[in-house]
């Protein structure tokens, strides 16, 4: 074969590989949806105060409307997570109104989040409270959330428990475990087939000595105890510094207990920063564990990918678009890992080559491929730009600024 022939072959080979990579990324992006949090569009803040934004959403209608804008430009966010107390203050009675909004804005209600942390009653805990009447109150609220989820046709009920204590000796940790087991078992019996209970864990804040569901092990055991439709939710901001989150994800996948994510990034605590803004390699490593698991098992991991971020400095809708685009970029890179090759290298303990295989995928610039994918799906190539030129932000700023000027420091 002539040199030119060989070169042509090699080039053809590369080209075919390139095409395959594009196809793999496109297919993966078609199926990769991310749920937005309604509370991410509202005025939120830190425990020191809030900086109001004149365009922030103050009603459930405005939250749906803002979420719809993110979906229009990304095509990846068809559902909106709802926080019951903030979005359906009258509980079940608000369901018809939410249904109407969902239709009007073509966004489905997503996970239903109970609020068992804000009311005065929950000062010493909710489902873990030593007072049985408070435990009952919390359980009843979560049961209503299950009913709301059924009525709205949403799948996941996703409680986060702020329960815990601030000082050693002030609460009986083991008794509270019992209360949680009992309460969650009761809640599980209300689940319809197909519905899921996602248990979120967090090792600190607002309680600073112990939290009742502090880590994935506690969430895992409580989920198992409550019943087969309970799974663990991993909020990426809810770990100690330097914890290996992808290892937790690998364990949960192995145990078939990985239910969902709350995506955000962090530098110090539960910072709720934009995904990948601090540690982009970490979110890639998490996605890699999922894609590697899917490749090995030839299954699709049934995971709810959700965002849990509330920006008080960045523009809220823009920050969501940025987050969704970032998630797609890290997901696409994880899809590009050569699993066949990596599995062999791991087996042979070829450390450098295995690591380079992973790193090689991480350093690929997938943005041109994602732009092409967007174009082929009739989506704007640059979602942020498309949003900026739509005039939506100017309009809502005009319409909402008066109301936001008069808003006081409520979370939603
Ligand atoms: C918590 C946790 C929950 C979220 C609340 C607002 O830290 O992440 O998921 O609903 O914040
Ligand atoms: Mn969360
Ligand atoms: Mn959080």
């Amino acid at each position: 074969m002539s040199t030119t022939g060989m070169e042509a072959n090699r080039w053809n080979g590369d080209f075919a590989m390139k095409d395959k990579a594009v196809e793999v990324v496109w297919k993966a992006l078609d199926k990769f949806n991310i749920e937005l949090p309604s509370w991410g569009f509202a005025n939120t803040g830190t425990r020191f105060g809030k900086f109001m934004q004149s365009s922030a959403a103050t009603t459930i209608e405005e939250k749906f409307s803002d979420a719809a804008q993110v979906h229009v430009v990304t095509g990846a966010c068809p559902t909106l997570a709802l926080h019951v107390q903030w979005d359906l203050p009258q509980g079940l009675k608000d369901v018809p109104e939410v249904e109407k909004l969902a239709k009007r804005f073509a966004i489905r209600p997503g996970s239903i989040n109970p609020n068992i942390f804000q009311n005065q009653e929950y000062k010493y805990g909710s489902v873990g409270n030593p007072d049985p009447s408070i435990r009952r109150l919390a359980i009843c609220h979560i049961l209503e959330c299950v009913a709301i989820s059924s009525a709205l046709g949403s799948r996941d009920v996703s409680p986060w428990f702020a329960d815990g204590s601030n000082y050693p000796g002030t609460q009986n940790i083991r008794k509270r475990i019992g209360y949680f087991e009992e309460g969650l078992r009761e809640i599980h019996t209300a689940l319809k087939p197909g519905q899921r209970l996602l248990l979120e864990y967090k090792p600190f804040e607002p309680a600073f000595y112990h939290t009742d569901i502090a880590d994935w092990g506690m969430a895992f055991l409580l989920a198992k105890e409550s019943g087969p439709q309970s799974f663990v939710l991993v909020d990426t901001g809810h770990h100690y510094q330097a914890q290996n989150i992808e290892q937790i994800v690998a364990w949960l996948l192995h145990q078939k207990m990985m239910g969902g994510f709350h995506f955000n990034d962090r530098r110090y605590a539960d910072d709720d920063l934009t995904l990948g803004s601090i540690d982009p390699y970490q979110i890639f490593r998490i996605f890699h564990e999922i894609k590697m698991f899917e490749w090995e098992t030839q299954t699709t991991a049934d995971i709810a990918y959700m965002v849990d971020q509330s920006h008080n400095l960045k523009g809220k809708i823009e920050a969501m678009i940025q987050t969704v685009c970032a998630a797609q970029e890290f997901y696409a890179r994880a899809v590009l890992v050569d699993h066949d090759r990596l599995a062999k290298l791991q087996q042979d303990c070829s450390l450098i080559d295995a690591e380079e295989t992973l790193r090689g995928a991480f350093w690929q610039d997938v943005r041109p491929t994602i732009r092409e994918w967007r174009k082929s799906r009739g989506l704007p190539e640059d979602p942020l730009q498309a949003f900026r030129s739509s005039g939506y932000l100017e309009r809502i700023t005009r319409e909402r600024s008066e109301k936001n000027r008069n808003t006081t420091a409520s979370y939603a």
Side-chain angles (χ1 to χ4, degrees):
M1 201 191 282
S2 73
T3 335
T4 352
M6 263 172 67
E7 268 164 15
N9 269 347
R10 201 181 314 142
W11 190 82
N12 278 338
D14 279 357
F15 191 71
M17 251 184 65
K18 234 174 114 192
D19 265 356
K20 184 141 195 302
V22 168
E23 192 192 317
V24 166
V25 168
W26 281 26
K27 272 196 179 147
L29 290 178
D30 279 341
K31 291 206 195 107
F32 184 56
N33 285 335
I34 308 156
E35 183 164 307
L36 303 173
S38 70
W39 54 99
F41 298 104
N43 276 314
T44 52
T46 68
R47 61 198 171 108
F48 302 105
K50 274 176 202 173
F51 297 109
M52 303 301 175
Q53 293 191 13
S54 40
S55 60
T58 52
T59 64
I60 174 80
E61 177 181 347
E62 290 173 351
K63 292 174 192 174
F64 264 99
S65 173
D66 292 357
Q69 292 304 306
V70 180
H71 186 45
V72 162
V73 293
T74 61
C77 308
T79 59
L80 181 66
L82 301 173
H83 232 297
V84 168
Q85 186 160 330
W86 302 332
D87 298 328
L88 296 95
Q90 306 177 85
L92 266 169
K93 275 200 213 117
D94 285 330
V95 163
E97 175 63 18
V98 170
E99 268 299 351
K100 255 190 247 153
L101 293 172
K103 280 214 184 76
R104 184 168 139 211
F105 292 105
I107 294 286
R108 291 300 314 156
S111 65
I112 301 299
N113 294 246
N115 187 320
I116 47 270
F117 50 85
Q118 191 179 304
N119 292 357
Q120 294 304 309
E121 290 90 336
Y122 299 134
K123 189 169 176 181
Y124 302 119
S126 63
V127 171
N129 197 304
D131 180 340
S133 66
I134 308 285
R135 292 206 294 278
R136 185 61 17 218
L137 195 72
I139 291 169
C140 283
H141 174 64
I142 302 174
L143 289 173
E144 187 176 11
C145 292
V146 174
I148 290 171
S149 160
S150 304
L152 289 172
S154 102
R155 176 165 76 143
D156 296 330
V157 176
S158 188
W160 165 67
F161 294 96
D163 290 57
S165 68
N166 273 351
Y167 297 97
T170 57
Q171 282 295 296
N172 185 320
I173 293 173
R174 277 176 302 101
K175 258 196 191 168
R176 292 173 71 109
I177 298 173
Y179 299 148
F180 266 95
E181 288 174 338
E182 201 183 301
L184 293 175
R185 271 198 305 263
E186 179 179 343
I187 292 159
H188 192 281
T189 58
L191 296 175
K192 297 258 161 26
Q195 260 185 328
R196 307 190 306 173
L197 185 66
L198 302 184
L199 293 183
E200 184 171 354
Y201 57 89
K202 179 170 172 175
F204 56 86
E205 196 195 38
F208 288 111
Y209 167 61
H210 104 279
T211 57
D212 286 291
I213 313 185
D215 63 24
W216 73 277
M218 300 175 202
F220 179 97
L221 289 170
L222 285 173
K224 278 274 178 216
E225 176 64 30
S226 69
Q229 286 165 246
S230 293
F231 300 87
V232 177
L233 184 141
V234 176
D235 183 315
T236 45
H238 292 188
H239 301 88
Y240 295 120
Q241 297 285 23
Q243 198 157 7
N244 185 335
I245 302 176
E246 64 270 23
Q247 184 183 12
I248 294 172
V249 171
W251 265 93
L252 291 173
L253 287 166
H254 182 70
Q255 295 288 333
K256 301 192 171 48
M257 288 298 279
M258 182 69 232
F261 282 101
H262 274 180
F263 284 145
N264 50 59
D265 211 339
R266 57 81 70 85
R267 181 74 179 86
Y268 297 104
D270 189 18
D271 304 339
D272 284 345
L273 300 177
T274 309
L275 185 71
S277 57
I278 303 294
D279 187 352
Y281 199 34
Q282 178 180 76
I283 182 64
F284 166 80
R285 297 191 308 262
I286 290 172
F287 283 139
H288 164 63
E289 282 306 324
I290 296 167
K291 297 321 284 181
M292 188 83 180
F293 168 86
E294 292 186 336
W295 171 79
E296 268 169 18
T297 56
Q298 291 298 303
T299 57
T300 305
D302 188 7
I303 298 172
Y305 297 108
M306 302 179 270
V307 173
D308 188 2
Q309 292 173 188
S310 33
H311 296 275
N312 60 335
L313 300 179
K314 279 181 174 174
K316 292 159 197 300
I317 303 174
E318 290 195 355
M320 283 303 167
I321 295 171
Q322 191 188 23
T323 300
V324 174
C325 294
Q328 289 175 321
E329 286 164 19
F330 298 120
Y331 192 74
R333 290 172 180 198
V335 162
L336 286 181
V337 173
D338 184 340
H339 296 119
D340 283 298
R341 180 176 152 79
L342 185 60
K344 283 193 199 90
L345 293 168
Q346 289 177 342
Q347 184 60 37
D348 296 343
C349 296
S350 298
L351 309 187
I352 290 182
D353 291 349
E355 188 188 7
E356 286 305 318
T357 301
L358 192 68
R359 266 169 35 88
F362 177 68
W363 286 107
Q364 297 259 348
D365 187 0
V366 291
R367 288 172 301 179
T369 312
I370 299 179
R371 271 199 296 274
E372 285 302 311
W373 169 77
R374 289 195 181 113
K375 228 172 29 185
S376 76
R377 301 299 185 260
L379 294 164
E381 277 180 63
D382 182 341
L384 195 55
Q385 201 41 54
F387 171 70
R388 283 181 176 167
S389 47
S390 72
Y392 181 83
L393 186 61
E394 289 74 10
R395 178 165 68 77
I396 59 166
T397 307
R398 265 195 318 271
E399 289 171 2
R400 298 177 188 175
S401 42
E402 177 99 22
K403 213 167 15 158
N404 275 305
R405 240 195 316 271
N406 303 327
T407 306
T408 41
S410 134
Y411 207 105

